[in-house]
Amino acid sequence: MSNTAKAIRIGTMIKGNAPDPAAYVKSILAHGFESFEPFFWQVMNKDLPRLAEELKEAIGDEDVTMSTLGMFGNPLEDTEIDRETLKGWEALIDNAHHFGATTIAGFTGRVRGKPIEESLPQYRKVWTELAKRAADKGVKLAFENCAMDGNWASGDWNIAHNPDAWEMIFNEVPADNIGLEWEPCHQMVYLIDPLPQIRKWAPKIFHVHGKDATIRWEVIREHGIFGKEKFVFMRSPGFGDTNWVDVISELRLAGWSGSIDIEGWHDPVYRNELEMTGQVHSLNYLKQSRGGSYVPNP
Protein backbone atom coordinates (compact mmCIF):
# COMPACT_ATOMS: atom_id res chain seq x y z
CA MET A 1 0.00 0.00 0.00
CA SER A 2 1.19 3.52 -0.74
CA ASN A 3 2.37 5.78 2.05
CA THR A 4 -0.37 8.23 1.03
CA ALA A 5 -3.09 5.63 1.61
CA LYS A 6 -1.64 4.68 4.98
CA ALA A 7 -1.45 8.29 6.14
CA ILE A 8 -4.79 7.32 7.69
CA ARG A 9 -4.40 4.08 9.58
CA ILE A 10 -7.21 1.80 10.73
CA GLY A 11 -6.84 0.18 14.12
CA THR A 12 -8.62 -0.65 17.37
CA MET A 13 -8.58 0.07 21.08
CA ILE A 14 -7.06 -2.33 23.61
CA LYS A 15 -7.67 -2.43 27.35
CA GLY A 16 -4.45 -1.35 29.03
CA ASN A 17 -5.44 -2.67 32.45
CA ALA A 18 -6.28 -6.14 31.12
CA PRO A 19 -4.21 -8.96 32.66
CA ASP A 20 -2.13 -9.42 29.49
CA PRO A 21 -2.68 -6.74 26.81
CA ALA A 22 0.32 -8.01 24.82
CA ALA A 23 -1.20 -11.48 24.49
CA TYR A 24 -4.44 -9.92 23.26
CA VAL A 25 -2.52 -7.90 20.66
CA LYS A 26 -0.80 -11.06 19.45
CA SER A 27 -4.15 -12.83 19.16
CA ILE A 28 -5.69 -10.17 16.88
CA LEU A 29 -2.65 -8.89 14.98
CA ALA A 30 -3.21 -11.21 12.00
CA HIS A 31 -6.57 -9.54 11.26
CA GLY A 32 -4.64 -6.62 9.82
CA PHE A 33 -5.04 -3.81 12.37
CA GLU A 34 -2.61 -0.99 11.58
CA SER A 35 -2.73 0.81 14.93
CA PHE A 36 -3.67 0.22 18.55
CA GLU A 37 -4.92 2.66 21.18
CA PRO A 38 -4.13 1.29 24.66
CA PHE A 39 -6.59 2.87 27.09
CA PHE A 40 -7.39 2.92 30.80
CA TRP A 41 -10.66 3.43 32.67
CA GLN A 42 -10.35 5.74 35.70
CA VAL A 43 -7.29 4.00 37.18
CA MET A 44 -3.97 3.29 35.50
CA ASN A 45 -2.29 0.43 37.37
CA LYS A 46 0.45 -0.62 34.96
CA ASP A 47 4.19 -0.12 34.78
CA LEU A 48 4.00 1.93 31.59
CA PRO A 49 7.56 1.48 30.25
CA ARG A 50 7.20 -2.27 30.74
CA LEU A 51 3.76 -2.33 29.12
CA ALA A 52 5.08 -0.38 26.14
CA GLU A 53 7.94 -2.82 25.72
CA GLU A 54 5.63 -5.83 25.94
CA LEU A 55 3.26 -4.35 23.36
CA LYS A 56 6.11 -3.50 21.00
CA GLU A 57 7.43 -7.05 21.34
CA ALA A 58 3.95 -8.39 20.56
CA ILE A 59 3.75 -6.20 17.44
CA GLY A 60 7.21 -7.28 16.35
CA ASP A 61 8.12 -6.33 12.79
CA GLU A 62 4.56 -5.52 11.74
CA ASP A 63 3.89 -1.98 10.53
CA VAL A 64 1.61 -1.09 13.45
CA THR A 65 1.66 2.11 15.51
CA MET A 66 0.42 3.24 18.94
CA SER A 67 0.11 6.96 18.31
CA THR A 68 -2.69 7.58 20.84
CA LEU A 69 -3.17 6.45 24.45
CA GLY A 70 -6.45 6.79 26.34
CA MET A 71 -7.26 7.80 29.94
CA PHE A 72 -11.00 7.93 30.67
CA GLY A 73 -12.51 9.21 33.90
CA ASN A 74 -13.21 12.52 35.63
CA PRO A 75 -10.00 14.43 36.44
CA LEU A 76 -11.87 17.57 37.54
CA GLU A 77 -13.42 16.18 40.72
CA ASP A 78 -11.72 15.30 43.99
CA THR A 79 -12.79 11.83 45.06
CA GLU A 80 -10.03 9.25 45.40
CA ILE A 81 -10.75 7.63 42.04
CA ASP A 82 -10.93 11.03 40.32
CA ARG A 83 -7.49 11.85 41.68
CA GLU A 84 -6.30 8.51 40.29
CA THR A 85 -7.63 9.54 36.87
CA LEU A 86 -5.66 12.78 37.04
CA LYS A 87 -2.53 10.84 38.02
CA GLY A 88 -3.19 8.57 35.06
CA TRP A 89 -3.22 11.53 32.67
CA GLU A 90 0.06 12.76 34.11
CA ALA A 91 1.66 9.32 33.85
CA LEU A 92 0.57 8.79 30.26
CA ILE A 93 1.85 12.22 29.25
CA ASP A 94 5.19 11.49 30.87
CA ASN A 95 5.48 8.00 29.34
CA ALA A 96 3.94 8.54 25.90
CA HIS A 97 7.34 8.35 24.23
CA HIS A 98 7.79 4.72 25.30
CA PHE A 99 4.85 3.79 23.07
CA GLY A 100 5.74 6.18 20.26
CA ALA A 101 2.52 8.04 21.12
CA THR A 102 2.00 11.73 20.45
CA THR A 103 -1.59 12.08 21.72
CA ILE A 104 -3.35 11.28 25.00
CA ALA A 105 -7.13 11.13 24.78
CA GLY A 106 -10.04 10.96 27.22
CA PHE A 107 -12.73 13.05 28.89
CA THR A 108 -12.33 16.59 30.15
CA GLY A 109 -14.02 15.69 33.41
CA ARG A 110 -16.92 17.66 34.85
CA VAL A 111 -18.21 19.17 38.08
CA ARG A 112 -20.86 16.54 38.66
CA GLY A 113 -24.50 17.45 38.35
CA LYS A 114 -23.83 21.02 37.22
CA PRO A 115 -24.27 22.89 33.92
CA ILE A 116 -21.27 22.96 31.62
CA GLU A 117 -20.46 26.59 32.45
CA GLU A 118 -19.89 25.73 36.11
CA SER A 119 -17.12 23.31 35.18
CA LEU A 120 -15.09 25.92 33.32
CA PRO A 121 -13.09 27.35 36.26
CA GLN A 122 -11.94 23.88 37.34
CA TYR A 123 -11.38 22.88 33.72
CA ARG A 124 -9.12 25.91 33.26
CA LYS A 125 -7.16 25.10 36.43
CA VAL A 126 -6.56 21.42 35.63
CA TRP A 127 -6.07 21.57 31.87
CA THR A 128 -3.83 24.63 31.80
CA GLU A 129 -1.32 22.63 33.82
CA LEU A 130 -1.79 19.41 31.87
CA ALA A 131 -1.52 21.21 28.53
CA LYS A 132 1.79 22.79 29.57
CA ARG A 133 3.09 19.46 30.89
CA ALA A 134 2.14 17.81 27.60
CA ALA A 135 3.51 20.60 25.39
CA ASP A 136 6.88 20.34 27.11
CA LYS A 137 7.01 16.72 25.93
CA GLY A 138 5.60 17.28 22.45
CA VAL A 139 2.29 15.61 23.34
CA LYS A 140 -1.23 16.63 22.29
CA LEU A 141 -4.38 16.18 24.40
CA ALA A 142 -7.63 15.10 22.75
CA PHE A 143 -11.10 15.12 24.33
CA GLU A 144 -13.57 12.50 23.19
CA ASN A 145 -16.88 14.05 22.08
CA CYS A 146 -18.91 11.71 24.29
CA ALA A 147 -21.67 12.92 26.63
CA MET A 148 -21.66 9.73 28.76
CA ASP A 149 -25.43 10.18 29.20
CA GLY A 150 -24.96 13.79 30.27
CA ASN A 151 -26.29 16.94 28.65
CA TRP A 152 -25.73 20.68 28.88
CA ALA A 153 -27.48 20.99 32.24
CA SER A 154 -25.96 18.05 34.06
CA GLY A 155 -23.54 15.15 33.78
CA ASP A 156 -20.78 13.22 35.51
CA TRP A 157 -17.86 12.84 33.11
CA ASN A 158 -17.31 15.21 30.23
CA ILE A 159 -18.13 18.68 28.90
CA ALA A 160 -16.55 18.28 25.44
CA HIS A 161 -19.57 16.63 23.83
CA ASN A 162 -21.15 19.59 22.05
CA PRO A 163 -19.70 22.04 19.49
CA ASP A 164 -20.86 25.01 21.56
CA ALA A 165 -18.90 23.57 24.45
CA TRP A 166 -15.85 23.11 22.22
CA GLU A 167 -15.86 26.85 21.54
CA MET A 168 -15.95 27.49 25.28
CA ILE A 169 -13.22 25.07 26.33
CA PHE A 170 -10.82 26.07 23.56
CA ASN A 171 -11.30 29.71 24.53
CA GLU A 172 -10.87 28.85 28.21
CA VAL A 173 -7.51 27.16 27.60
CA PRO A 174 -6.24 28.45 24.22
CA ALA A 175 -3.47 25.88 23.90
CA ASP A 176 -2.47 24.61 20.46
CA ASN A 177 -2.03 21.08 21.83
CA ILE A 178 -5.63 20.74 23.10
CA GLY A 179 -8.11 19.27 20.64
CA LEU A 180 -10.64 16.51 20.02
CA GLU A 181 -10.90 12.76 19.80
CA TRP A 182 -13.79 12.89 17.36
CA GLU A 183 -16.29 10.36 16.06
CA PRO A 184 -19.64 10.68 14.26
CA CYS A 185 -21.55 8.47 16.71
CA HIS A 186 -21.70 10.85 19.64
CA GLN A 187 -22.98 13.67 17.47
CA MET A 188 -25.63 11.50 15.83
CA VAL A 189 -26.93 10.50 19.27
CA TYR A 190 -27.90 14.17 19.65
CA LEU A 191 -29.16 14.39 16.04
CA ILE A 192 -26.25 16.60 14.97
CA ASP A 193 -24.98 16.16 11.41
CA PRO A 194 -21.34 15.10 11.90
CA LEU A 195 -19.87 15.76 8.45
CA PRO A 196 -19.90 19.59 8.54
CA GLN A 197 -18.00 19.38 11.82
CA ILE A 198 -14.99 17.91 10.02
CA ARG A 199 -14.88 20.90 7.66
CA LYS A 200 -14.96 23.33 10.58
CA TRP A 201 -12.99 21.51 13.24
CA ALA A 202 -10.41 19.42 11.35
CA PRO A 203 -7.41 21.37 12.72
CA LYS A 204 -8.58 20.45 16.23
CA ILE A 205 -9.26 16.77 15.47
CA PHE A 206 -6.21 14.98 16.81
CA HIS A 207 -7.61 11.43 16.79
CA VAL A 208 -10.68 9.66 15.42
CA HIS A 209 -12.66 6.82 16.96
CA GLY A 210 -14.24 4.32 14.62
CA LYS A 211 -17.79 4.23 15.95
CA ASP A 212 -21.09 4.84 14.24
CA ALA A 213 -24.80 4.98 15.07
CA THR A 214 -28.14 3.89 13.65
CA ILE A 215 -30.90 6.45 14.12
CA ARG A 216 -34.40 4.95 14.19
CA TRP A 217 -36.37 7.78 12.62
CA GLU A 218 -39.65 5.87 12.81
CA VAL A 219 -39.26 5.73 16.60
CA ILE A 220 -38.50 9.46 16.75
CA ARG A 221 -41.58 10.30 14.69
CA GLU A 222 -43.82 8.22 16.97
CA HIS A 223 -42.18 8.41 20.40
CA GLY A 224 -39.71 11.31 20.28
CA ILE A 225 -36.20 11.15 21.72
CA PHE A 226 -35.00 9.95 25.13
CA GLY A 227 -38.39 8.32 25.77
CA LYS A 228 -39.48 4.75 26.41
CA GLU A 229 -38.42 3.44 22.99
CA LYS A 230 -34.72 3.50 22.12
CA PHE A 231 -34.26 5.87 19.19
CA VAL A 232 -30.57 5.32 18.45
CA PHE A 233 -28.08 2.47 18.66
CA MET A 234 -24.32 2.84 18.78
CA ARG A 235 -22.83 0.69 16.03
CA SER A 236 -19.45 -0.38 14.75
CA PRO A 237 -18.49 1.16 11.37
CA GLY A 238 -20.10 -0.63 8.48
CA PHE A 239 -23.26 -1.38 10.47
CA GLY A 240 -24.50 2.18 11.08
CA ASP A 241 -25.84 5.10 9.08
CA THR A 242 -22.55 6.84 8.29
CA ASN A 243 -20.87 6.59 4.92
CA TRP A 244 -17.24 6.48 6.01
CA VAL A 245 -16.07 7.17 2.46
CA ASP A 246 -17.49 10.65 3.06
CA VAL A 247 -15.87 10.94 6.50
CA ILE A 248 -12.44 9.91 5.26
CA SER A 249 -12.79 12.07 2.13
CA GLU A 250 -13.53 15.11 4.29
CA LEU A 251 -10.56 14.29 6.53
CA ARG A 252 -8.29 13.98 3.50
CA LEU A 253 -9.59 17.24 2.00
CA ALA A 254 -8.64 18.92 5.29
CA GLY A 255 -5.14 17.47 5.07
CA TRP A 256 -5.72 15.23 8.07
CA SER A 257 -3.56 12.22 8.88
CA GLY A 258 -3.58 9.86 11.84
CA SER A 259 -5.38 6.78 13.12
CA ILE A 260 -9.02 5.81 13.13
CA ASP A 261 -9.21 3.33 16.01
CA ILE A 262 -12.35 1.23 16.30
CA GLU A 263 -14.12 1.67 19.63
CA GLY A 264 -15.75 -1.69 20.16
CA TRP A 265 -17.97 -3.09 22.92
CA HIS A 266 -21.00 -0.96 22.02
CA ASP A 267 -22.66 -2.64 19.06
CA PRO A 268 -25.95 -4.30 20.15
CA VAL A 269 -25.53 -7.14 17.65
CA TYR A 270 -21.79 -7.75 17.26
CA ARG A 271 -20.82 -8.09 20.90
CA ASN A 272 -19.62 -10.75 23.34
CA GLU A 273 -18.65 -13.80 21.24
CA LEU A 274 -19.32 -11.79 18.05
CA GLU A 275 -17.23 -8.80 19.14
CA MET A 276 -14.19 -9.53 17.01
CA THR A 277 -16.36 -10.63 14.08
CA GLY A 278 -17.86 -7.15 14.12
CA GLN A 279 -14.52 -5.41 14.59
CA VAL A 280 -12.90 -7.26 11.69
CA HIS A 281 -15.84 -6.34 9.46
CA SER A 282 -15.38 -2.70 10.55
CA LEU A 283 -11.63 -2.90 9.95
CA ASN A 284 -12.05 -4.10 6.38
CA TYR A 285 -14.95 -1.73 5.71
CA LEU A 286 -12.88 1.25 6.88
CA LYS A 287 -9.89 0.12 4.82
CA GLN A 288 -12.09 -0.07 1.73
CA SER A 289 -13.56 3.34 2.57
CA ARG A 290 -10.06 4.77 2.85
CA GLY A 291 -8.65 2.94 -0.12
CA GLY A 292 -5.96 0.35 0.46
CA SER A 293 -5.47 -3.27 1.23
CA TYR A 294 -8.30 -5.58 2.21
CA VAL A 295 -7.27 -8.31 4.66
CA PRO A 296 -9.46 -11.44 4.56
CA ASN A 297 -10.46 -12.95 7.88
CA PRO A 298 -7.77 -15.40 9.01
Side-chain angles (χ1 to χ4, degrees):
M1 187 196 318
S2 71
N3 290 335
T4 300
K6 220 168 184 179
I8 296 179
R9 291 174 175 265
I10 311 300
T12 190
M13 301 176 72
I14 60 171
K15 297 175 181 178
N17 276 337
D20 194 346
Y24 179 70
V25 164
K26 283 184 180 180
S27 74
I28 66 173
L29 197 59
H31 291 304
F33 293 105
E34 299 165 345
S35 64
F36 293 117
E37 179 190 355
F39 76 96
F40 302 87
W41 176 252
Q42 291 190 281
V43 176
M44 194 287 298
N45 60 11
K46 293 284 187 176
D47 179 328
L48 289 175
R50 179 178 176 182
L51 175 62
E53 187 61 33
E54 290 171 348
L55 290 173
K56 287 189 286 189
E57 287 180 6
I59 291 168
D61 294 331
E62 298 296 324
D63 182 16
V64 175
T65 62
M66 295 181 286
S67 61
T68 298
L69 309 176
M71 187 70 228
F72 296 90
N74 185 348
L76 296 195
E77 286 277 27
D78 199 36
T79 69
E80 182 177 353
I81 199 164
D82 299 327
R83 291 192 295 272
E84 287 296 320
T85 297
L86 179 57
K87 290 178 183 176
W89 274 95
E90 294 169 344
L92 289 181
I93 290 168
D94 293 347
N95 289 278
H97 63 284
H98 292 294
F99 298 83
T102 56
T103 301
I104 313 298
F107 302 145
T108 57
R110 183 167 187 161
V111 177
R112 292 187 175 96
K114 300 294 184 181
I116 284 178
E117 293 91 341
E118 295 191 33
S119 291
L120 293 177
Q122 184 66 4
Y123 167 84
R124 181 174 61 251
K125 176 183 176 182
V126 169
W127 290 103
T128 297
E129 291 300 317
L130 288 177
K132 183 179 184 304
R133 187 187 193 114
D136 289 344
K137 295 174 174 59
V139 171
K140 295 182 288 187
L141 306 177
F143 301 135
E144 186 178 358
N145 59 339
C146 175
M148 288 293 286
D149 295 322
N151 53 42
W152 194 275
S154 184
D156 292 334
W157 301 98
N158 191 26
I159 61 173
H161 56 78
N162 181 285
D164 295 320
W166 302 342
E167 298 275 8
M168 294 167 67
I169 64 176
F170 295 146
N171 287 334
E172 202 71 24
V173 183
D176 291 340
N177 66 328
I178 285 184
L180 299 172
E181 181 176 64
W182 183 88
E183 64 181 65
C185 172
H186 292 309
Q187 300 309 283
M188 296 166 71
V189 166
Y190 285 88
L191 305 183
I192 297 173
D193 184 357
L195 276 179
Q197 290 185 345
I198 301 175
R199 300 173 197 132
K200 180 176 181 179
W201 294 98
K204 280 292 193 180
I205 297 175
F206 295 164
H207 186 241
V208 174
H209 267 170
K211 193 166 70 175
D212 203 349
T214 296
I215 299 172
R216 303 168 76 194
W217 291 104
E218 75 282 2
V219 171
I220 293 172
R221 284 189 286 269
E222 183 175 355
H223 302 281
I225 62 173
F226 302 117
K228 177 183 176 183
E229 299 295 327
K230 193 173 182 67
F231 76 95
V232 64
F233 288 102
M234 296 184 183
R235 303 302 308 268
S236 296
F239 300 111
D241 292 347
T242 300
N243 182 346
W244 284 80
V245 172
D246 292 339
V247 170
I248 293 172
S249 294
E250 290 292 346
L251 289 170
R252 286 197 189 281
L253 285 169
W256 191 88
S257 63
S259 295
I260 300 174
D261 289 319
I262 296 163
E263 182 184 350
W265 310 291
H266 290 84
D267 195 285
V269 178
Y270 291 91
R271 62 191 312 166
N272 300 325
E273 66 272 12
L274 291 177
E275 174 67 38
M276 193 48 59
T277 300
Q279 286 210 32
V280 171
H281 174 84
S282 296
L283 169 68
N284 289 319
Y285 166 74
L286 289 170
K287 284 184 175 181
Q288 289 178 312
S289 299
R290 170 196 68 186
S293 61
Y294 173 88
V295 180
N297 296 350

